[in-house]
Amino acid sequence: MSTFDAHQLHGVVSVWSANLDELPCRRDLLSSDELVRSERFHTQQLRDRYIAGRSWLRSVLGVASGAPPASLQFRYLALGKPVLDRPANSLDFSLAHSADVALLAVGGPGALGVDVERVRAGVYEPASADLVLSADELRWIERHADRDRAFLRCWVRKEAYAKVGGMGMDRHLSNLTLTGPRAVDEVGGLAISDVAFDDSLAAAIAVPVDQSFTYRGRWLAEEAA
Ligand SMILES: CC(C)(COP(=O)(O)OP(=O)(O)OC[C@H]1O[C@@H](n2cnc3c(N)ncnc32)[C@H](O)[C@@H]1OP(=O)(O)O)[C@@H](O)C(=O)NCCC(=O)NCCS
């Protein structure tokens, strides 16, 4: 039994977190192209996490769209963003994962983006950070004792923004300041927000400015279809 109904999604973007190692791997829900893709991962753990993530995505979108999870069909934008093709509707979603943790946002109309990263030592490398972070963001990071965490806070906001339009993390993002005292919270019709629910993670979401989001908590294994 799911803890939400489709009508709860109207006007508010719902966000859940999950532990991919605890969610069921429902291969029976996946399409043949998803199963082929799962085989490209080099370890069983990575294969299982991909299958668990896609099973979860299909289960949630099944409730949201009113269609059986296995019947959902995705199409892919040029740089890999999945979009719900069948059943046709105005739902959008965004999935992100970092090691065992995943974040899923579902809402619409309008495109969404989320990102999550486990905070880890040594992730901040000034020499490569300037590819996507602005000079203001880099200065903001340097003022922090925990630069790895500060870097990831900047990174997830940039990536959430990039994922809305199905883009990659490329150089044009360094023209934009989304974190720090001179940051903009709205850009291109999107509102960028932190999703703060766990100190060991950095997470952010980008939604259309006329919509809000709510974090609905951790998705438990027994909630999956
Ligand atoms: C989009 C992108 C920034 C996400 O990177 P990431 O941090 O590794 O992945 P995340 O966990 O945040 O998100 C992955 C999920 O986002 C979705 N996704 C994939 N590409 C996407 C894109 N371009 N835009 C939005 N969402 C995308 C998928 O649902 C994917 O999960 P799934 O395949 O398990 O369903 C990255 O894949 C990227 O830059 N893609 C552009 C194409 C590219 O440069 N490819 C070269 C990769 S070697």
Side-chain angles (χ1 to χ4, degrees), residues 43-210:
T43 66
Q44 189 61 44
Q45 184 183 53
L46 293 176
R47 280 192 284 279
D48 287 349
R49 284 177 176 171
Y50 171 76
I51 293 168
R54 283 290 171 132
S55 306
W56 182 40
L57 174 63
R58 284 177 169 274
S59 298
V60 176
L61 291 180
V63 177
S65 67
S71 73
L72 303 177
Q73 289 180 24
F74 299 110
R75 66 185 165 84
Y76 294 87
L77 305 187
L79 295 183
K81 177 172 170 131
V83 178
L84 191 57
D85 202 26
R86 291 204 183 168
N89 59 41
S90 59
L91 276 177
D92 194 34
F93 62 89
S94 183
L95 178 68
H97 23 65
S98 178
D100 58 337
V101 68
L103 204 61
L104 173 61
V106 179
L112 314 170
V114 287
D115 191 36
V116 64
E117 292 289 343
R118 272 217 178 278
V119 177
R120 52 204 187 270
V123 67
Y124 175 50
E125 291 176 7
S128 51
D130 70 352
L131 291 176
V132 293
L133 300 189
S134 71
D136 278 338
E137 287 170 327
L138 293 169
R139 274 192 289 275
W140 183 80
I141 292 168
E142 292 294 335
R143 288 204 297 270
H144 286 74
D146 186 349
R147 292 185 185 146
D148 293 316
R149 179 182 296 275
F151 165 70
L152 289 173
R153 285 184 61 193
C154 293
W155 182 271
V156 294
R157 288 172 71 90
K158 281 277 159 85
E159 192 167 314
Y161 169 76
K163 287 172 80 174
V164 175
M167 307 300 290
M169 292 295 273
D170 61 42
R171 268 185 188 281
H172 80 277
L173 293 169
S174 65
N175 297 323
L176 208 55
T177 298
L178 299 182
T179 311
R182 292 152 69 106
V184 292
D185 289 328
E186 293 185 10
V187 55
L190 298 168
I192 321 292
S193 309
D194 297 335
V195 186
F197 62 98
D198 181 332
D199 280 349
S200 70
L201 306 172
I205 186 166
V207 301
V209 286
D210 59 352

Side-chain angles (χ1 to χ4, degrees), residues 10-53:
H10 286 296
V12 180
V13 175
S14 289
V15 182
W16 293 269
S17 61
N19 185 310
L20 292 171
D21 294 339
E22 293 171 2
L23 291 178
C25 284
R26 292 284 308 270
R27 297 175 62 88
D28 56 307
L29 299 184
L30 270 55
S31 63
S32 53
D33 63 291
E34 288 170 319
L35 291 172
V36 166
R37 186 162 166 226
S38 74
E39 293 303 321
R40 296 199 195 127
F41 291 93
H42 292 304
T43 66
Q44 189 61 44
Q45 184 183 53
L46 293 176
R47 280 192 284 279
D48 287 349
R49 284 177 176 171
Y50 171 76
I51 293 168

